[in-house]
Amino acid sequence: MLDAGQLFTFLAASVLLTLSPGPDVLATISVGLSRGWGAAVSFGVGCALGCLLHTSAAVLGASAIIRTSPTAYSAMKLICGGYLAWLGLT
């Protein structure tokens, strides 16, 4: 269990990391400046959904399954590679 000092330090660090602009914020601004407001909103929603999917997979234990099963890891590489190829072609 965290004591009050550790909890405060964790929360302060979390707030600072959340408020600081990262590459996704800079990319969203760049898309907004070059392509307009609608494209920036779409890009931002896409980034948020990607983070949500990644976090959900981690919470559900996908990394543990992939670590213990070489077959699951190979299947994931093929599926993700196909998805990236599809994105590149469309």
Side-chain angles (χ1 to χ4, degrees):
M1 187 80 183
L2 296 175
D3 64 18
Q6 291 173 324
L7 182 61
F8 177 76
T9 304
F10 173 76
L11 289 175
S14 298
V15 167
L16 286 175
L17 286 173
T18 301
L19 293 177
S20 63
D24 52 345
V25 172
L26 297 175
T28 303
I29 292 170
S30 173
V31 168
L33 291 174
S34 64
R35 298 184 186 164
W37 184 83
V41 170
S42 296
F43 187 86
V45 169
C47 285
L49 289 176
C51 289
L52 179 64
L53 177 67
H54 182 264
T55 303
S56 299
V59 166
L60 295 174
S63 30
I65 293 170
I66 293 165
R67 183 176 178 196
T68 58
S69 172
T71 305
Y73 181 60
S74 295
M76 188 183 98
K77 287 194 302 186
L78 288 172
I79 291 167
C80 293
Y83 175 69
L84 290 174
W86 176 76
L87 282 177
L89 294 172
T90 57

